[in-house]
Amino acid sequence: MILVEKPSTRSFVVAQDSPTRGQAPQLEKGSLLELPAPQPPSPPAPKLPDHPAYQQIMAVFAAADHPLRARQVCGAMDLTIAPNNVNNIRLKLKRLIDRGVLVEIEQGLFTQPRP
């Protein structure tokens, strides 16, 4: 079955496939009752902040095969494991969560979202 729009009347004609080769298709007048629902647009990819620390954090998560804590991210980035560094990384991880780049699967445990 084929729907063909008539441009002048904005009505539709239904063309039935003919049973034998060489015959003209049978046309029936009809109207389209409803259009299929439009697909929602896909969400844009999350934008990563411009600071190089975010690039390093994402490189750590790309190489990791399991969720990480802020302390482990500091170690992977060769930062001194000091409260100041761990808290700064934790704040950056929280910002990445707000942007949808990372998810916190449990308190203090961060990973990339799985599709």
Side-chain angles (χ1 to χ4, degrees):
M1 183 184 325
I2 303 169
L3 290 178
V4 181
E5 182 180 0
K6 287 182 166 181
S8 60
T9 61
R10 301 203 48 90
S11 65
F12 292 86
V13 175
V14 178
Q16 300 281 336
D17 292 334
S18 60
T20 60
R21 195 173 194 155
Q23 282 185 332
Q26 300 283 331
L27 298 178
E28 299 175 11
K29 265 194 162 179
S31 62
L32 187 61
L33 297 178
E34 64 182 66
L35 293 172
Q39 296 293 330
S42 60
K47 182 165 174 13
L48 202 59
D50 292 332
H51 196 275
Y54 291 98
Q55 308 295 329
Q56 292 174 330
I57 290 171
M58 292 313 298
V60 168
F61 278 99
D65 59 347
H66 59 282
L68 300 172
R69 298 196 179 276
R71 183 183 212 62
Q72 294 169 314
V73 175
C74 281
M77 292 174 62
D78 294 327
L79 294 174
T80 307
I81 308 296
N84 189 31
N85 289 340
V86 174
N87 286 332
N88 286 338
I89 292 297
R90 185 176 295 114
L91 288 172
K92 286 177 176 49
L93 294 172
K94 294 286 188 175
R95 283 188 197 115
L96 291 173
I97 288 171
D98 292 341
R99 290 176 179 248
V101 177
L102 295 177
V103 292
E104 190 173 15
I105 57 172
E106 168 181 314
Q107 187 174 357
L109 200 55
F110 303 91
T111 189
Q112 291 180 324
R114 303 289 177 217

